[in-house]
């Protein structure tokens, strides 16, 4: 299990922008995380006091970024840019509801090469209800062109 400090060390998100709290387990293909950041009144994605369900996409893709950071092979970390979302499904309602409990977040790498990665992500309630699912495509900045 990875702590919050370990998580921030392996991804570009830090402080309040890091929406993941724990890594339960991970392997070369999939990462499983948990969070209660959706219940934090100071969540930076809140607008007008609410956190819409679509914000779960950011949580899912942060898990993908963390997975990439943990499993990056030769050349060290690289900057990646989310370019496309596909087949996104959102449950009705809001993400900031206490009944969801601790969110269960999974990101699975479906394809990866030197140019980028494709991840499937899901965010579920503590009881297993599907809240947000989809596919995200990340393009990696070429080696030597880091900002």
């Amino acid at each position: 299990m990875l702590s919050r400090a370990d998580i921030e060390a392996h991804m570009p998100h830090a402080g309040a922008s890091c929406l993941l709290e724990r890594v339960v387990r991970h392997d070369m293909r999939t990462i499983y995380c948990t969070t209660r950041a959706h219940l934090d009144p100071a969540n930076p994605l809140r607008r007008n006091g609410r956190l819409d369900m679509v914000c779960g996409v950011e949580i899912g893709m942060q898990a993908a970024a963390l997975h990439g950071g943990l499993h990056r092979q030769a050349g060290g970390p690289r900057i990646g840019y989310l370019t496309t979302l596909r087949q996104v499904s959102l449950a009705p309602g809001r993400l900031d509801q206490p009944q969801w409990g601790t969110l269960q977040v999974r990101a699975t790498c479906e394809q990866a090469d030197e140019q980028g990665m494709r991840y499937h992500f899901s965010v579920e309630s503590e009881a297993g209800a599907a809240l947000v699912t989809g596919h995200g495509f990340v393009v990696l900045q070429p080696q030597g062109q880091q900002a």
Side-chain angles (χ1 to χ4, degrees):
M1 193 177 303
L2 297 178
S3 70
R4 173 69 179 242
D6 295 327
I7 290 169
E8 288 187 22
H10 287 93
M11 62 187 286
H13 306 81
S17 295
C18 178
L19 301 176
L20 302 172
E21 294 174 340
R22 283 207 169 91
V23 173
V24 177
R25 67 183 185 276
H26 63 94
D27 57 34
M28 291 301 289
R29 188 160 184 254
T30 304
I31 190 166
Y32 299 88
C33 305
T34 62
T35 188
R36 293 182 64 81
H38 62 297
L39 300 176
D40 184 351
N43 185 306
L45 299 180
R46 281 186 182 270
R47 294 295 173 259
N48 299 318
R50 60 183 288 145
L51 191 66
D52 291 324
M53 196 61 74
V54 72
C55 295
V57 171
E58 174 66 17
I59 295 171
M61 288 307 295
Q62 281 194 19
L66 177 57
H67 184 264
L70 288 168
H71 294 282
R72 177 74 188 130
Q73 301 297 325
R78 293 182 53 198
I79 295 173
Y81 300 97
L82 177 63
T83 60
T84 307
L85 292 169
R86 298 239 168 112
Q87 298 174 316
V88 173
S89 177
L90 306 173
R94 294 169 38 180
L95 191 58
D96 58 348
Q97 299 303 298
Q99 73 261 22
W100 303 136
T102 300
L103 298 181
Q104 312 299 306
V105 185
R106 182 182 72 233
T108 300
C109 185
E110 297 178 314
Q111 182 272 327
D113 58 30
E114 286 302 309
Q115 287 74 46
M117 298 165 269
R118 180 181 74 225
Y119 275 88
H120 177 268
F121 61 88
S122 65
V123 178
E124 297 179 349
S125 72
E126 190 168 347
L131 302 176
V132 180
T133 62
H135 297 266
F137 297 81
V138 176
V139 172
L140 295 173
Q141 189 169 20
Q143 287 291 109
Q145 293 186 16
Q146 302 299 311

